[in-house]
Amino acid sequence: MIQNSKRLYEIAVGAVPGTGASTSPKLESRPARSVFAKLEGRFLAIWIALGVLLVADAIFLPRSLNATTLLAVSPFAAFLAIAAIGQATVIMARGIDLSVPAIIALSSSVLIGVSGGSDERLWIAIAAALLAAVLVGTINGLLIAFLRLNALIVTLAAGAIITGLTLWYRQSMGAESPVPPSLAVFGNGRIAGVPTAVVIAVIIVIGAVLFFTKTVTGRRFEAAGCNPDAAFITGINVKLYQAGAYVGASLLYGVAAVLLAGFIGNPTLDVGNPYFMAPIAAAVLGGVAMTGGIGNMLSVAVAAAFLIQLDQSLKMLGLPTSWQLVIQGVAIGVGMWMSEVKSTVRRG
């Protein structure tokens, strides 16, 4: 079974001659198979960028690297990493998701509303919050994969609709309704000195890396993103994998929302606003190909850490917070340019 799946993957990316699929080197090369996938040029760049940033901070802003500061900002890197892995999964399926902030706001609101701030209903509230996120992802996936609607328009419209519904839902609650006390304690707790959110993010990153490098489903997903037509010929249900990308991504957004709500304690309607452009920036800077199929989740997580550390450094320099949005926009542009250059070199 595993051998057959490997062959299907090789056919889909054009690696097996005599199958009817292209064997030209013009196609994107296959991702490495090991857990710590080979850091090719597109993946290595963000590691170098993070290294340069840390060296610059050590010289000019040493206080940004002390233990207290790093522990304070690391949860935000964790939240972004989780959301970015979801966004990266969608991009690998040749899509885009602009409904992330709305899903995070919806999930946190459902969590508060169902729990009523009581520990007795905490697990039911968490399940409801995750279910709400998955429901949105399922609708997005069905509309985009099976009805072939434009992903940009669908997710943007979904975000607007969800925001309106969330606003209506929150009218019956206070402006800053608290989460259950035990969730607040968990969200601000530490495991062996490491913030809980960081530990969970690390687990998710490892799980994502293992999924894409060690499982049959992960290989088929990459094949469907690399070359949908060839993957379809080999028997891979491309539409199912495309729709599944939105469902899985939304589940991750829901997880990020629960952790973020616990960390904040009383999340408001704008809790998801910082996650509109940042997950896209992290995915692109992490080397995920906008043409689909190519990605390295470890590098995406590193890109999330890079963006948070860069933002923290700018704040310590006294620059206005508006620079964060400017830099994220520039980061996306540079990342897309680098991705296109890499693809052009391979096609040439």
Side-chain angles (χ1 to χ4, degrees), residues 223-234:
C226 279
N227 194 329
D229 293 334
F232 177 76
I233 292 173
T234 63

Side-chain angles (χ1 to χ4, degrees), residues 105-329:
L106 173 66
S107 293
S108 61
S109 295
V110 170
L111 173 67
I112 294 172
V114 174
S115 69
S118 172
D119 285 336
E120 294 180 359
R121 299 180 58 83
L122 174 60
W123 290 108
I124 297 176
I126 292 176
L130 297 180
L131 182 61
V134 169
L135 178 61
V136 176
T138 301
I139 295 173
N140 284 341
L142 291 175
L143 293 175
I144 294 167
F146 291 92
L147 297 185
R148 297 181 178 277
L149 300 183
N150 184 278
L152 189 71
I153 302 301
V154 169
T155 56
L156 189 61
I161 294 171
I162 296 165
T163 299
L165 292 174
T166 304
L167 180 60
W168 168 79
Y169 182 72
R170 287 292 295 260
Q171 288 179 352
S172 60
M173 295 182 281
E176 295 185 351
S177 301
V179 300
S182 59
L183 179 61
V185 172
F186 179 81
N188 288 275
R190 295 184 181 181
I191 300 176
V194 180
T196 305
V198 175
V199 174
I200 294 177
V202 169
I203 294 173
I204 290 175
V205 171
I206 293 174
V209 171
L210 290 174
F211 172 78
F212 285 110
T213 61
K214 294 297 184 181
T215 70
V216 173
T217 303
R219 296 192 191 104
R220 289 179 176 174
F221 179 86
E222 290 179 333
C226 279
N227 194 329
D229 293 334
F232 177 76
I233 292 173
T234 63
I236 295 177
N237 191 333
V238 176
K239 292 182 180 180
L240 183 61
Y241 282 98
Q242 289 175 340
Y246 286 91
V247 176
S250 293
L251 177 61
L252 290 178
Y253 306 151
V255 172
V258 172
L259 292 174
L260 189 56
F263 181 78
I264 297 175
N266 52 356
T268 58
L269 280 170
D270 59 357
V271 64
N273 289 357
Y275 301 94
F276 181 65
M277 296 294 290
I280 300 175
V284 174
L285 287 175
V288 178
M290 297 300 292
T291 52
I294 306 299
N296 183 309
M297 296 306 173
L298 188 58
S299 293
V300 170
V302 170
F306 170 81
L307 288 173
I308 294 299
Q309 182 63 24
L310 180 60
D311 178 57
Q312 179 69 13
S313 299
L314 291 175
K315 288 178 179 177
M316 285 189 168
L317 287 173
L319 296 178
T321 55
S322 57
W323 275 98
Q324 180 180 5
L325 294 177
V326 174
I327 291 173
Q328 286 175 1

Side-chain angles (χ1 to χ4, degrees), residues 44-61 64-65 302 305-306 309-310 313:
L44 184 60
I46 189 59
W47 293 78
I48 296 175
L50 179 61
V52 171
L53 176 62
L54 292 178
V55 170
D57 282 345
I59 296 174
F60 301 105
L61 289 170
S64 69
L65 297 179
V302 170
F306 170 81
Q309 182 63 24
L310 180 60
S313 299

